[in-house]
Amino acid sequence: MAQTTQNSAPRPLPEDWDRLLAVVAHPDDLEFGASSAIHRWTAQGKDVVELLVTKGEAGIDSMDPGACAPLRMAEQRASAEAVGAATVEFLDFPDGTLEYGLPLRRSLAGAIRRHRPDVIVSINFREHFGGGSFFNHADHRVLGPALLDAVRDAANRWVFTEQLVEGREPWDGVRFVAFGAAPDPTHFVELSEENLAAGIASLDAHEVYLANLDGFDQKTFLREGAVSSGEWAGVPLATSFEVFDT
């Protein structure tokens, strides 16, 4: 699996594909930029499935995880609806303590074999976000390498063979994996005002979660991010990705 050269000029993310699997650790992860691109793609008629590895149950300090999980799942479904993603699925890994290992790889490979995507999108797994000094969430840092490995696992019929008994055939059709909000992006997706508005609406859907973030202005944050990525890409509005070819 080869990473696209980071030092090359920004390139448009290829869009000659039909099926996307968006895989992130938590409700709200996709909404920090990638959801605007998802709206562009669903408007083109592409099939998008959102897969959440956890239910986000540890994401609100003032709320018990047992009450938090169903709330955040409902907010994610509303968020997906805002950008036209018809399918949202949740795995059952623990929020905040995700570990790299065979159970995670197995579940991700199983999802890839089941949905058979052409392209996978996720969130930045590097130690830092672009322009930021805070350390990236442990779950994000774990998920990225596990997801890249699971793409290879899903294609190998001699790995996780029990899934083949269950009727999930190997899938080697993933063309690339794109990670949004990466510090060293390689590709961009140009956004329209409509795409950006839908992306903002998708983040707005996480109403209770956002209410617990002191003073966070999601509309300004997403617009400034889209303008900044657009300046980098040479277009009015964009969102950026670090792309790994498979």
Side-chain angles (χ1 to χ4, degrees):
M1 185 174 296
Q3 183 185 6
T4 307
T5 304
Q6 291 184 357
N7 293 329
S8 59
R11 279 157 286 174
L13 194 77
E15 295 184 326
D16 56 338
W17 46 267
D18 298 315
R19 298 187 307 278
L20 170 73
L21 181 62
V23 184
V24 289
H26 317 108
D28 84 79
D29 284 349
L30 285 171
E31 287 67 55
F32 284 90
S35 281
S36 295
I38 288 175
H39 181 264
R40 173 184 168 101
W41 296 326
T42 59
Q44 294 171 348
K46 301 184 190 301
D47 180 55
V48 176
V49 173
E50 294 186 359
L51 179 68
L52 287 297
V53 175
T54 81
K55 298 173 182 176
E57 68 274 9
I60 299 177
D61 183 68
S62 61
M63 185 173 291
D64 179 85
C68 187
L71 169 73
R72 298 206 69 197
M73 293 168 71
E75 289 188 339
Q76 185 62 41
R77 292 188 181 102
S79 176
E81 184 178 359
V83 293
T87 303
V88 181
E89 296 183 359
F90 295 86
L91 301 178
D92 199 24
F93 287 87
D95 182 15
T97 57
L98 202 60
E99 294 182 305
Y100 180 94
L102 292 180
L104 180 57
R105 282 172 52 191
R106 181 181 291 109
S107 290
L108 293 172
I112 293 167
R113 286 170 168 174
R114 184 171 70 254
H115 291 292
R116 308 177 87 73
D118 305 309
V119 171
I120 294 176
V121 161
S122 189
I123 193 173
N124 173 39
F125 66 92
R126 303 299 189 177
E127 291 185 350
H128 300 280
F129 287 90
S133 60
F134 67 91
F135 203 50
N136 195 1
H137 195 296
D139 288 351
H140 301 165
R141 291 184 285 112
V142 164
L143 177 59
L147 182 57
L148 290 168
D149 287 339
V151 171
R152 185 180 291 113
D153 296 334
N156 188 339
R157 72 172 54 256
W158 306 117
V159 175
F160 306 135
T161 56
E162 73 283 356
Q163 294 177 353
L164 306 187
V165 176
E166 297 165 359
R168 300 179 190 174
E169 289 298 312
W171 178 247
D172 65 356
V174 177
R175 291 173 49 188
F176 59 84
V177 184
F179 294 88
D184 293 303
T186 57
H187 290 68
F188 69 92
V189 174
E190 184 172 3
L191 303 176
S192 67
E193 285 288 348
E194 183 181 4
N195 299 148
L196 179 57
I200 291 171
S202 74
L203 186 52
D204 286 344
H206 295 275
E207 182 177 358
V208 177
Y209 174 75
L210 291 172
N212 283 267
L213 300 180
D214 291 338
F216 179 69
D217 180 354
Q218 65 269 23
K219 293 177 176 61
T220 299
F221 178 87
L222 289 181
R223 176 164 292 279
E224 288 180 349
V227 169
S228 177
S229 291
E231 290 174 351
W232 169 75
V235 297
L237 298 171
T239 190
S240 62
F241 294 90
E242 179 182 16
V243 172
F244 289 76
D245 296 325
T246 61

